């Protein structure tokens, strides 16, 4: 009986280990940003561009601390898993900080590109970042061809 219990425990531990490896390592969105981009008071502006294959491009500039905090808060708990999917539509977010700028692209399917499309991730769970961006519906501005 003791032997069966030990063998069952070893098999269960092996299954949990294997499932963890198959799902891959996950990290939080906030941890993937440069260290000085995690503080709300460091980010002066977030400019968001709607990236889509056709139609008039739109943008929004968030300069109010409350609006910037909404985007950061939405991304705070988002878990990411490394992926290979390149984001070609969705939203391009340009974080303009007091020390540096940083770009992130996110699409409705939960794919995220960071660091100039060098790092690709997939959102595990709810795409709260995409939903938070869509919450600014009434503030979007259509861009002229010269601005694109």
């Amino acid at each position: 009986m003791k032997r069966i219990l030990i063998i069952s425990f070893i098999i269960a531990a092996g299954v949990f280990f294997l499932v963890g490896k198959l799902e891959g390592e996950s990290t939080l969105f906030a941890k993937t940003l440069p260290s000085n981009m995690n503080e709300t008071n460091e980010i002066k502006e977030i400019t968001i561009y709607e990236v889509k294959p056709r139609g008039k491009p739109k943008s929004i500039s968030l300069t109010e601390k409350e609006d910037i905090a909404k985007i950061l808060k939405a991304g705070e708990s988002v878990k990411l898993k490394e992926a290979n999917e390149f984001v070609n539509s969705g939203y391009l977010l340009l974080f303009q900080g007091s020390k540096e700028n940083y770009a992130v692209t996110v699409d409705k399917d939960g794919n995220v590109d960071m660091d100039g499309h060098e790092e690709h991730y997939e959102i595990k769970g709810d795409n709260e970042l995409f939903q938070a961006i869509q919450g600014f519906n009434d503030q979007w501005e259509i861009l002229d061809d010269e601005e694109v």
Side-chain angles (χ1 to χ4, degrees):
M1 181 69 177
K2 205 177 203 183
R3 193 174 185 185
I4 292 173
L5 190 60
I6 292 172
I7 291 172
S8 297
F9 179 75
I10 291 172
I11 290 172
V15 167
F16 284 120
F17 176 77
L18 211 87
V19 167
K21 284 294 182 188
L22 290 176
E23 285 186 7
E25 295 291 316
S26 66
T27 187
L28 292 175
F29 173 81
K31 300 268 188 217
T32 61
L33 293 174
S35 58
N36 64 335
M37 285 288 178
N38 288 325
E39 297 292 325
T40 305
N41 61 1
E42 290 284 84
I43 298 174
K44 305 294 183 196
E45 182 176 358
I46 301 175
T47 303
I48 305 171
Y49 295 94
E50 185 179 39
V51 181
K52 57 184 181 178
R54 56 180 184 246
K56 289 280 187 188
K58 299 187 297 185
S59 75
I60 184 173
S61 289
L62 305 175
T63 55
E64 298 293 322
K65 284 191 178 206
E66 298 83 34
D67 292 340
I68 292 170
K70 282 181 192 174
I71 296 295
L72 294 178
K73 181 95 172 125
E76 200 172 82
S77 62
V78 168
K79 288 186 180 178
L80 302 174
K81 179 178 133 183
E82 285 191 35
N84 296 321
E85 193 71 31
F86 180 82
V87 178
N88 59 7
S89 67
Y91 297 109
L92 169 64
L93 290 82
L94 299 177
F95 293 85
Q96 290 137 13
S98 56
K99 297 178 183 168
E100 68 179 293
N101 299 330
Y102 198 73
V104 173
T105 310
V106 61
D107 71 11
K108 67 178 170 75
D109 297 325
N111 298 306
V112 179
D113 282 353
M114 295 187 173
D115 195 20
H117 293 293
E118 295 294 320
E119 299 173 22
H120 309 287
Y121 296 95
E122 177 184 313
I123 294 175
K124 293 175 71 175
D126 291 337
N127 191 347
E128 293 178 37
L129 184 58
F130 192 85
Q131 294 167 3
I133 294 167
Q134 289 191 315
F136 293 102
N137 273 350
D138 57 338
Q139 299 176 30
W140 290 93
E141 297 177 18
I142 303 288
L143 297 175
D144 294 332
D145 291 335
E146 296 87 39
E147 295 178 277
V148 178

